[in-house]
Amino acid sequence: MRASKAALVAATALGLSACSMAPDYHRPEVAAAPAYKESGDWQTAGTKVPPGGNWWERFADPTLNGLEARIAGSPNLAAAIARYDQAAALVRRNRAALLPEIGASGTIARDRVSAGRPLSSGRAVTYTNPQVGASLDYELDLFGRIRNAVKASQANAEASAADLVGVRLGLQTRLAATYFDLRGLDARTVLLRKTVDAFQRAYDLTETRHGGGIASGIDVSRAQSQLAGARAELDAVAADRANDEHAIAVLIGESPSTFSLPVVDTLIAPPVIPAALPSTLLERRPDIAAAERRVAAANAQIGVARAAMFPTITLGGAGGFEAVSGGLLNSDNSFWALGPLSAALSIFDGGARRANVRISRAQYDEAAANYRETVLTAFREVEDDLAAGRHLIDQERNQREAAAAAERTQDLAMTRYRDGAADFLEVTIAQTAALDAERTLLAIRARQLGVATETVRALGGLY
């Protein structure tokens, strides 16, 4: 038994000191600009600290804070957690191959041997044969096949962990974007309700004037058409709002039938989103981290494929006790065997193993290209969002002026109509322009909130 232990220790040391067939790994290079082109002067620089914290609290909306706290109930997040658990379990399974596989067994048999057997004493013998023992099977990882398989699974598990972070961030930002879209529809609802009331008063005034012979039937029809159109738009907005409300319910893992949010007549202003430096994006975006880890896994798989070109060496061993009489667990009844020490190598496989090496190298090249594409896409998304946010500030200011001018025009047109200086067509045109201008202003403000939320996702969270 001492000899078997010494051989096992030597074999383990030999396996641990073995070489690796995987190439040295280096993260693919992607050039990062010193600063974002579209950041302008309206963005403030962030400090380089790990992502975290409740970024949505920057929007200062208590309802949104409460909804984000319930995102843990999302089925999508539960599925992402399950995928990570699978990847982590695969790492543990691959690591188990680095250790010897030890088994235990026990048998008992009642046997009768023939009296006419060779070298017999001329009589039959019946006996009971109990046996207990253990066995050992260990692959010597001389060429790093197992270790590279562990590295690949570990890298894939780290990629899955990054995917989990990305799913959580994506759900959080999707929830915020849907919530802000709903609040934008709330603002339109309030606007349309006021518009319906104003159009109703205009219609009543036109009816009165028509009854007095001052206004024509055409004016009445125009006022009625305008009023009915505003009511129809209000119904359409209500349908869109219901869809957003249902989507929010699903995102937090609740039934749409039991979830509701009251209409709010205010639309908050978006906060300033710190963009920091492009180089930090490589460290913060979970999809970039996941893509890089998959490159590392593909690199390790090259080592697994190359190791298959060399022999597989395994060491076996067994030991135990066997006796047909007397005490079973007696040193005289012990047995052991060291071996076999076996090596297996396929001599001819038609080039299958070399093809597997080429496949693994091509898979590495694909993963590296996907990583570069992910990085470039991330830079583009940030630049897009920064540009949109910057230009929306100017657009919102100009549209606010347009809405104020349209409101003044509407008031003047109604005054002229009451005084008999204009027909209702002028009023209709002015009211339609005022509604369009105000509707556009609300859409811009809602989009600003959506862009701010998307910027958070594009940056991989906030500092």
Side-chain angles (χ1 to χ4, degrees), residues 63-113:
T63 303
L64 177 62
N65 294 344
L67 292 172
E68 292 288 358
R70 299 160 66 182
I71 201 69
S74 169
N76 286 339
L77 184 59
I81 293 173
R83 287 192 294 271
Y84 170 71
D85 290 341
Q86 294 173 46
L90 182 59
V91 175
R92 290 192 291 271
R93 187 181 73 180
N94 287 342
R95 280 179 176 167
L98 290 170
L99 301 175
E101 182 178 342
I102 300 175
S105 64
T107 62
I108 185 169
R110 181 71 173 170
D111 296 326
R112 181 180 186 277
V113 295

Side-chain angles (χ1 to χ4, degrees), residues 114-376:
S114 168
R117 69 187 184 280
L119 303 178
S120 69
S121 59
R123 62 187 181 90
V125 178
T126 301
Y127 63 93
T128 300
N129 182 23
Q131 178 178 324
V132 294
S135 62
L136 176 146
D137 186 59
Y138 180 57
E139 179 179 344
L140 303 180
D141 193 28
L142 297 181
F143 305 102
R145 183 190 68 82
I146 298 175
R147 284 175 290 126
N148 281 315
V150 172
K151 287 181 180 179
S153 61
Q154 180 65 47
N156 281 324
E158 292 168 355
S160 182
D163 287 338
L164 175 58
V165 174
V167 168
R168 182 180 286 109
L169 178 61
L171 289 171
Q172 291 169 346
T173 52
R174 193 190 315 168
L175 173 60
T178 306
Y179 173 78
F180 289 136
D181 186 71
L182 179 141
R183 290 311 183 204
L185 294 172
D186 282 353
R188 283 183 61 186
T189 299
V190 173
L191 170 65
L192 287 170
R193 286 173 180 172
K194 293 178 180 178
T195 300
V196 167
D197 292 341
F199 286 0
Q200 182 67 58
R201 291 192 298 270
Y203 173 73
D204 293 341
L205 174 61
T206 307
E207 276 277 10
T208 301
R209 289 169 64 86
H210 177 63
I214 302 174
S216 66
I218 294 177
D219 288 346
V220 175
S221 296
R222 284 172 179 158
Q224 186 177 17
S225 175
Q226 199 171 39
L227 175 60
R231 286 173 173 167
E233 184 178 349
L234 185 59
D235 292 334
V237 170
D240 291 340
R241 187 189 189 278
N243 290 340
D244 280 348
E245 193 175 65
H246 301 160
I248 291 173
V250 173
L251 284 170
I252 62 176
E254 290 197 14
S255 171
S257 302
T258 58
F259 179 81
S260 63
L261 288 172
V263 174
V264 176
D265 60 355
T266 57
L267 196 59
I268 62 174
V272 175
I273 305 299
L277 298 175
S279 58
T280 64
L281 195 66
L282 303 180
E283 304 168 3
R284 296 184 54 80
R285 285 268 299 223
D287 57 340
I288 293 178
E292 186 276 328
R293 287 290 79 200
R294 290 189 170 95
V295 177
N299 186 79
Q301 287 293 350
I302 295 175
V304 174
R306 292 176 64 182
M309 305 288 292
F310 297 88
T312 300
I313 302 176
T314 58
L315 172 66
F321 297 88
E322 181 181 23
V324 295
S325 63
L328 176 64
L329 302 179
N330 189 304
S331 59
D332 292 336
N333 294 330
S334 65
F335 68 89
W336 63 268
L338 180 60
L341 178 63
S342 63
L345 176 65
S346 177
I347 302 300
F348 177 76
D349 61 3
R353 286 172 296 167
R354 293 185 181 278
N356 286 335
V357 173
R358 287 194 292 270
I359 290 172
S360 61
R361 288 187 180 278
Q363 289 172 339
Y364 170 84
D365 292 339
E366 179 186 6
N370 289 338
Y371 169 76
R372 296 187 183 95
E373 176 67 18
T374 301
V375 172
L376 293 176

Side-chain angles (χ1 to χ4, degrees), residues 11-89:
T12 303
L14 183 61
L16 293 176
S17 63
C19 61
S20 173
M21 296 288 103
D24 292 337
Y25 175 69
H26 302 284
R27 185 173 68 177
E29 293 293 331
V30 180
Y36 292 111
K37 180 180 68 174
E38 300 290 350
S39 62
D41 297 330
W42 72 286
Q43 296 283 353
T44 58
T47 55
K48 185 178 179 181
V49 295
N54 299 333
W55 55 265
W56 53 86
E57 293 179 354
R58 290 175 180 253
F59 291 86
D61 188 313
T63 303
L64 177 62
N65 294 344
L67 292 172
E68 292 288 358
R70 299 160 66 182
I71 201 69
S74 169
N76 286 339
L77 184 59
I81 293 173
R83 287 192 294 271
Y84 170 71
D85 290 341
Q86 294 173 46

